[in-house]
Amino acid sequence: MHEYYDYPMWNASLSLEERLDDLISRLTLAEKISLIPTREAAVPRLGIPKYNVGGEAAHGVAWKGVATVFPQPLGLSSTWNPELLRRIGSVIGDEARAYHHREPEVHGLTLWAPTVDLERDPRWGRTEEGYGEDPVLTGEMSKALVQGMQGDHPFYLKMVATLKHFFANNNEKDRLNCSSSIDPRNLREYYLKAFEAPFVEGGALSMMTAYNSINGTPAIESPYINDVVKGEWAMPGFIVCDGGDLSQTVDYHKYHASHAESAAGAIKAGVDCLTDEVDMVVPALEEALQRGLLQEKDLDRAIRNIFGVRMRLGQLDRTGANPYASISEDVLCAPEHARLSYRAAAESVVLLKNDGLLPLKPEKLHKVSVIGPLADAVYTDWYSGTLPYKVSALDGLRSRLKNVEIAYEDGNDRISLKTADGKVIVHGTQGTLAAVEEEGAQPAEFVHQDWGWGSHTLRSRSNDRYVTLTEEGIYQACAEQIGGWFVKEIVRFEEDASDGQHTLRSWNGLPLGLREHKGQLVLAPLAEEAEQGAAAPFVRELRLDGVERAARIAQDSDVSIVVVGNNPYINGKEEIDRPGLTLPTEQIRLVKEVCAANPNTVVVIIGSYPFALHDLKDVAPAIVYLTHAGQELGSALADVLTGAYAPAGRLNMTWYEDGSQLPDLLEYDIIRNGLTYQYHEGSVLYPFGHGLTYSEFEYESLQVERTVDAEGKDVLSVEVSIRNAGAVASDEVVQVYGSAQTSRVRRARKQLLAFRRVHVAAGEQAIVRLTVPVQRLAMWDVTRDRYCVESAVWSIMAGRSSADARQTLALTIEGETIPARKLHLPTPAENYDDCHAVLLDECLEGRTTVRAIAPGEPLYREDQIAWIVFKDNGTEDARQFEARVSDFANAGDARLEIRSGALDGELIGECDVPSTATGPIRYMKERVWTTVRCELKASDSVEQLYIVFRGGAALQQFCLIP
């Protein structure tokens, strides 16, 4: 028997703290350092095995091999069914254990999911990964997934869920160096709220920080890790940074000059485990210790957090008491997991519109046309597992409509290519795209798919493979599918309007031309300055018009089903935001032509995000939406279309009418920019929570009572009666919203308070009871830095969506009245009531600073006036203004204007901001802060105090002095 088995760290009968104390006392400093990277080293003398932190599990175990694949997270959230998410999480945990059982030192049990980032803007490239735009829905759904993943044993864990990405991480553009500007109300009422439930109630034991900065501080060093996650929420697990972020803090954020400083900053901020190359992390930590930037006790704290989780996973344990250790490889892709994947897909389907065409009646159908580029496709995404099998929409309909003739057409054009000087593109050896003289040549024919925004793909008709850029730097028809981090199947066509010729470009924008390769003249990208050849103009010859052919078969059918949408690897993915909200132009044309040919047309949209449909919503009598729904996509969709399953999915994001309704992608202030259903005041295409079914539901007898629950919590007890007034049994998603009729500040037009998905038989009635913590009515009071439930009359609404309240009642909430501000006390600048053209930035003295958006920054606008305002002030007889300031630009023209009553109100004081830096400011720590004071014009009171920023003035705090 090994000697280390006698150590207390191996004695599972002892408390976790005793075991951790023993472990830390026995580790050498070098061993401690080796346990900080995500590829944690073995410590053989103590029996500690190697362990890999990381892996993906967004909608099934990914990147390890074949596993059960569920709908994309956006689709899982469309079910509005937390219990279903809990069961899915449990399956993910089982299959993660199966892979761990196979190779325990390769396949870890700390997987990176779910993505809890709130999706304030549907153009975000990673929309498919999240749970929608609402913090309550996201919190409840991700909480349930976490509970399923980690299991229900009081000590042992099935696996560990890692919430990501903390936080305000909704743009791929400049994601490695941008800063999200978040004021306290947006921070506390929106962005942090979604993470609270999966931590506090769900028990999530890991978290990943984001790439971006928040208010000038890289997320890897955010003060909210220690203050909120580990402090207020008392999360006892461990924190990791996103991949490569240790180096990116130096290389992209330019926040530190060395990796040692970056490693020290992250560890001190609460990150326990660094996701970067081991040979970078270890020397960085060694240097940080040598320079005194870190102490050994800092590593001890991180290791305590890491091994507190590893021991609960069953490591360093010989008792055999871990109930999850016996999970074997037999659970992988088990039949019951496939059934759950089907259920998730079916529950995720959202019926957006139905003028009576659905459900189809199979017994009355003779011929159905199934049309569209996604009709016979099942796409995976970057975070998908490997499909064990796949059922496309076409497959599903063929299975469900066995006695119906089904005609299929993908709607794509067939084309060939030739050069302007008469050479044609043919299939050369090994599928290369070679150019030969036209006479006697057989042109290669391609299925041409236009994905919009300049992205095209070509699939060879001869071998059904996609044209892709190979490692040899030439084009071949050899890719089985579109994918990869760099999507080299994308070809860009730039048409010359004068002569119809095209310049072809590669996935990354290089012009394409012809060059010699192994005796052939082949298609290849050329550097702009390449001497071996110039970009050749190409002619795209149409050999078959896919839309025209689709319209013909549609005209000859009883019903047409057009399936359109996106490919998860194109025009919206990690690193690439969506340029807009519309479907590709060719898909719009396809839908219109098919609907014109056959009025009985169902449009099915399979997509990773919301779309702006414009006039398509008026053209099609029925529209169905679902995300890329995994292995059972086609089975679930076919059952919905044919009435075997009544759809009840609901939208978890607002579907805007047009991208023009959205602000700049980097605008993170949802309150002032009118984002999400909570604050958007314009019209929308489909509202948050929308979704139809094949039955009608009536709501009656809404009752709300404020009470104390069994745990002593202050809650609203909500009860409403619903009746299925139709002839079809169906689920209904009961949604309860609240709206404060009065408040000191601008509140959400309405906010989701609770929801429940229930099944009701035709003609039956159900009483639905929900519990709402009164704390969900709270707002963040910037005058006192805390949550506050105000005394107010609230409208409580129960209904079918955020725009379809069926029952409403007024409820008086007894709470607090926020007192007048006391500006004679130090007042943080970030606690303003309103603002314009300002950003929140870092201040190493504490809190954040406020400054004007500078020229050259993404949100800068010419002629902007930057200001903040403080309202409802109780300070009287103010004679001086004192402030802690810095000259952000170090240009010598910084000053603050203090005005009373309005932006153009009386100028009662001006403060010059001195420029004290001796040279260019490279790092935040070099910025110098100083206290300034100026006289104010006599005034009995300043009910509204405006501070206007001129030049590079930055303000951290201020007070008014009598």
Side-chain angles (χ1 to χ4, degrees):
M1 186 178 75
H2 293 293
E3 179 187 47
Y4 51 71
Y5 288 150
D6 294 328
Y7 298 157
M9 57 187 279
W10 278 88
N11 187 349
S13 66
L14 297 176
S15 72
L16 184 60
E17 289 305 311
E18 289 176 293
R19 297 173 66 196
L20 291 169
D21 287 343
D22 181 66
L23 166 67
I24 291 169
S25 72
R26 296 181 187 278
L27 290 168
T28 67
L29 180 58
E31 289 167 343
K32 291 174 182 179
I33 292 171
S34 75
L35 294 168
I36 299 300
T38 46
R39 292 198 293 279
E40 298 176 10
V43 185
R45 68 182 187 84
L46 299 179
I48 298 173
K50 287 194 299 185
Y51 185 71
N52 272 345
V53 173
E56 301 295 342
H59 47 120
V61 174
W63 300 3
K64 298 182 185 298
V66 173
T68 303
V69 178
F70 296 95
Q72 292 174 305
L74 193 71
L76 294 179
S77 181
S78 297
T79 69
W80 290 58
N81 187 344
E83 176 54 27
L84 175 65
L85 268 288
R86 188 196 64 77
R87 291 182 59 192
I88 290 170
S90 184
V91 167
I92 293 172
D94 285 345
E95 297 198 355
R97 275 279 170 182
Y99 273 105
H100 182 68
H101 180 81
R102 179 181 296 178
E103 293 182 274
E105 293 190 352
V106 174
H107 302 301
L109 292 168
T110 310
L111 303 186
W112 293 336
T115 295
V116 187
D117 297 305
L118 282 171
E119 301 181 308
R120 62 182 171 90
D121 193 311
R123 295 169 299 186
W124 182 36
R126 302 181 74 170
T127 296
E128 66 197 23
E129 297 179 36
Y131 289 77
E133 68 183 30
D134 181 76
V136 170
L137 178 63
T138 295
E140 291 298 310
M141 299 297 276
S142 57
K143 175 184 79 175
L145 191 80
V146 167
Q147 290 170 329
M149 285 175 159
Q150 296 190 165
D152 54 11
H153 192 276
F155 179 78
Y156 290 105
L157 300 164
K158 183 183 291 189
M159 60 164 285
V160 176
T162 301
L163 309 187
K164 61 181 191 178
H165 314 79
F166 191 77
F167 62 100
N169 176 227
N170 287 149
N171 56 278
E172 297 306 289
K173 174 182 167 55
D174 297 329
R175 67 176 182 157
L176 301 182
N177 61 355
C178 70
S179 179
S180 305
S181 183
I182 316 287
D183 68 36
R185 282 197 61 211
N186 280 276
L187 179 91
R188 290 288 187 164
E189 296 175 22
Y190 190 68
Y191 291 102
L192 290 183
K193 270 297 172 190
F195 284 88
E196 185 173 1
F199 274 131
V200 176
E201 301 170 32
L205 287 170
S206 187
M207 183 187 84
M208 175 185 285
T209 57
Y211 282 136
N212 56 289
S213 290
I214 301 107
N215 298 341
T217 304
I220 192 174
E221 296 188 33
S222 170
Y224 300 105
I225 300 171
N226 279 328
D227 294 349
V228 177
V229 179
K230 291 184 174 181
E232 292 177 27
W233 298 341
M235 194 279 275
F238 71 96
I239 311 293
V240 301
C241 65
D242 206 341
D245 205 19
L246 173 66
S247 55
Q248 286 161 186
T249 305
V250 175
D251 299 335
Y252 288 89
H253 284 288
K254 309 295 184 183
Y255 191 75
H256 291 297
S258 70
H259 295 142
E261 294 168 1
S262 181
I267 296 292
K268 283 184 171 294
V271 174
D272 304 296
C273 194
L274 297 173
T275 314
D276 221 313
E277 296 300 323
V278 173
D279 58 5
M280 176 184 292
V281 174
V282 169
L285 291 171
E286 290 172 342
E287 181 184 339
L289 288 162
Q290 290 166 1
R291 292 171 57 185
L293 303 173
L294 276 181
Q295 305 299 318
E296 188 170 355
K297 65 181 180 181
D298 296 315
L299 300 186
D300 292 346
R301 183 175 58 251
I303 289 168
R304 181 175 295 273
N305 293 331
I306 294 167
F307 274 84
V309 168
R310 287 183 62 173
M311 287 178 177
R312 292 185 62 187
L313 285 168
Q315 295 188 2
L316 312 188
D317 189 336
R318 302 179 65 218
T319 64
N322 179 2
Y324 306 120
S326 60
I327 295 174
S328 71
E329 295 180 47
D330 295 340
V331 302
L332 279 173
C333 302
E336 59 269 26
H337 297 179
R339 290 191 290 271
L340 190 63
S341 178
Y342 164 83
R343 179 181 168 188
E347 289 198 16
S348 75
V349 176
V350 183
L351 181 59
L352 296 174
K353 176 184 178 181
N354 187 20
D355 288 347
L357 180 57
L358 294 177
L360 303 177
K361 298 173 177 59
E363 67 278 5
K364 295 185 178 181
L365 299 175
H366 300 286
K367 183 177 181 181
V368 171
S369 53
V370 181
I371 294 166
L374 276 73
D376 194 26
V378 176
Y379 293 131
T380 56
D381 57 44
W382 181 249
Y383 291 109
S384 286
T386 302
L387 293 164
Y389 62 88
K390 57 184 178 182
V391 182
S392 69
L394 179 62
D395 295 332
L397 287 163
R398 281 173 172 162
S399 175
R400 300 304 189 265
L401 301 174
K402 294 185 182 299
N403 298 319
V404 178
E405 180 186 350
I406 293 181
Y408 165 65
E409 169 58 47
D410 64 16
N412 293 317
D413 292 341
R414 273 57 170 174
I415 67 166
S416 59
L417 295 172
K418 68 178 184 180
T419 64
D421 62 1
K423 294 184 178 67
V424 297
I425 299 299
V426 300
H427 286 307
T429 57
Q430 298 180 330
T432 56
L433 301 192
V436 299
E437 296 299 328
E438 186 169 8
E439 185 176 352
Q442 179 62 44
E445 187 174 327
F446 306 102
V447 177
H448 169 237
Q449 195 154 342
D450 182 352
W451 293 101
W453 312 108
S455 297
H456 302 251
T457 55
L458 301 172
R459 192 173 75 250
S460 171
R461 292 271 287 158
S462 66
N463 65 3
D464 203 34
R465 299 293 179 94
Y466 286 96
V467 171
T468 190
L469 181 62
T470 69
E471 294 298 319
E472 293 182 281
I474 64 171
Y475 278 92
Q476 286 181 256
C478 60
E480 293 186 19
Q481 58 189 10
I482 301 166
W485 183 258
F486 302 112
V487 187
K488 298 181 179 181
E489 293 73 44
I490 292 174
V491 178
R492 304 190 183 280
F493 287 81
E494 294 179 358
E495 185 171 5
D496 184 339
S498 63
D499 58 13
Q501 294 180 1
H502 295 79
T503 296
L504 271 58
R505 292 187 179 273
S506 65
W507 65 277
N508 57 349
L510 291 176
L512 304 188
L514 301 174
R515 69 176 176 86
E516 290 288 337
H517 177 76
K518 295 182 179 179
Q520 301 178 95
L521 195 61
V522 300
L523 186 66
L526 305 171
E528 296 282 2
E529 67 281 5
E531 298 178 358
Q532 64 267 38
F538 289 87
V539 177
R540 187 171 66 190
E541 294 194 326
L542 181 66
R543 304 180 76 85
L544 183 148
D545 188 317
V547 172
E548 182 182 291
R549 180 176 171 83
R552 274 203 310 274
I553 69 166
Q555 191 173 27
D556 194 31
S557 304
D558 300 316
V559 171
S560 290
I561 300 167
V562 184
V563 189
V564 293
N566 80 300
N567 183 297
Y569 284 95
I570 300 175
N571 294 336
K573 61 181 280 289
E574 186 167 358
E575 284 207 326
I576 300 173
D577 293 309
R578 246 193 324 167
L581 302 181
T582 59
L583 286 163
T585 302
E586 281 302 296
Q587 292 189 17
I588 294 171
R589 175 174 164 247
L590 174 66
V591 170
K592 287 183 175 180
E593 292 295 326
V594 171
C595 286
N598 187 343
N600 295 325
T601 293
V602 180
V603 175
V604 176
I605 301 170
I606 301 175
S608 304
Y609 27 64
F611 293 91
L613 300 183
H614 297 290
D615 53 349
L616 289 190
K617 69 180 188 299
D618 301 319
V619 169
I623 305 175
V624 172
Y625 168 72
L626 71 162
T627 63
H628 298 277
Q631 61 203 55
E632 287 286 347
L633 181 154
S635 302
L637 178 61
D639 281 351
V640 167
L641 297 179
T642 59
Y645 183 86
R650 298 292 191 270
L651 296 180
N652 44 39
M653 297 184 71
T654 300
W655 283 40
Y656 295 95
E657 289 185 337
D658 189 84
S660 64
Q661 294 178 300
L662 298 169
D664 190 285
L665 186 61
L666 294 179
E667 287 280 13
Y668 274 80
D669 188 332
I670 72 163
I671 300 173
R672 292 166 186 83
N673 287 291
L675 281 165
T676 81
Y677 79 96
Q678 292 188 353
Y679 292 98
H680 181 71
E681 295 183 350
S683 57
V684 299
L685 179 64
Y686 297 115
F688 175 84
H690 172 72
L692 308 175
T693 187
Y694 296 150
S695 204
E696 287 296 326
F697 281 86
E698 297 174 350
Y699 284 62
E700 299 173 344
S701 307
L702 175 63
Q703 300 176 53
V704 184
E705 179 186 9
R706 187 173 183 176
T707 185
V708 176
D709 68 8
E711 298 178 359
K713 295 179 181 177
D714 187 7
V715 299
L716 300 181
S717 179
V718 181
E719 181 179 293
V720 66
S721 173
I722 63 171
R723 187 172 74 87
N724 185 340
V728 177
S730 176
D731 288 359
E732 171 70 348
V733 178
V734 177
Q735 303 168 44
V736 176
Y737 295 86
S739 176
Q741 299 306 298
T742 57
S743 176
R744 179 189 175 278
V745 298
R746 180 186 180 188
R747 299 295 300 269
R749 296 171 64 246
K750 60 188 64 174
Q751 63 188 78
L752 182 68
L753 299 178
F755 62 93
R756 181 163 301 151
R757 182 168 181 145
V758 294
H759 186 78
V760 187
E764 295 295 312
Q765 189 166 353
I767 304 297
V768 179
R769 298 180 178 88
L770 304 103
T771 299
V772 178
V774 170
Q775 190 64 18
R776 283 192 180 162
L777 308 183
M779 46 82 73
W780 183 258
D781 176 16
V782 294
T783 73
R784 295 175 295 172
D785 277 330
R786 65 176 176 84
Y787 286 108
C788 168
V789 176
E790 295 177 290
S791 293
V793 174
W794 278 72
S795 293
I796 306 297
M797 299 156 274
R800 306 197 72 242
S801 81
S802 62
D804 187 4
R806 300 298 178 91
Q807 290 278 295
T808 303
L809 61 76
L811 179 70
T812 299
I813 294 293
E814 298 295 335
E816 299 181 68
T817 298
I818 298 174
R821 281 185 181 270
K822 298 177 180 179
L823 296 184
H824 67 279
L825 299 175
T827 300
E830 67 177 354
N831 279 347
Y832 52 71
D833 286 303
D834 203 355
C835 69
H836 180 72
V838 298
L839 290 179
L840 280 78
D841 211 329
E842 186 180 62
C843 175
L844 297 182
E845 294 190 339
R847 306 291 293 238
T848 62
T849 184
V850 180
R851 63 173 178 83
I853 302 171
E857 292 183 315
L859 299 178
Y860 178 78
R861 300 292 180 269
E862 291 290 339
D863 302 322
Q864 67 179 23
I865 299 177
W867 54 264
I868 55 178
V869 62
F870 298 82
K871 301 178 180 179
D872 306 315
N873 303 319
T875 304
E876 298 181 355
D877 195 29
R879 292 293 181 266
Q880 290 183 317
F881 175 88
E882 182 179 278
R884 194 71 176 159
V885 297
S886 180
D887 182 358
F888 177 84
N890 196 31
D893 62 347
R895 74 180 195 280
L896 299 173
E897 295 177 0
I898 300 94
R899 294 182 177 271
S900 176
L903 179 61
D904 58 356
E906 182 183 9
L907 178 65
I908 61 174
E910 285 188 277
C911 270
D912 290 328
V913 177
S915 210
T916 54
T918 57
I921 296 174
R922 295 173 300 166
Y923 303 107
M924 183 63 65
K925 60 188 176 184
E926 297 175 347
R927 188 158 295 136
V928 177
W929 291 87
T930 187
T931 299
V932 296
R933 183 180 288 191
C934 67
E935 300 297 319
L936 297 179
K937 289 184 179 179
S939 178
D940 292 336
S941 67
V942 185
E943 177 65 19
Q944 295 190 76
L945 182 75
Y946 281 79
I947 300 175
V948 183
F949 296 81
R950 301 297 184 186
L955 174 65
Q956 191 258 353
Q957 68 175 30
F958 72 95
C959 65
L960 301 183
I961 301 174

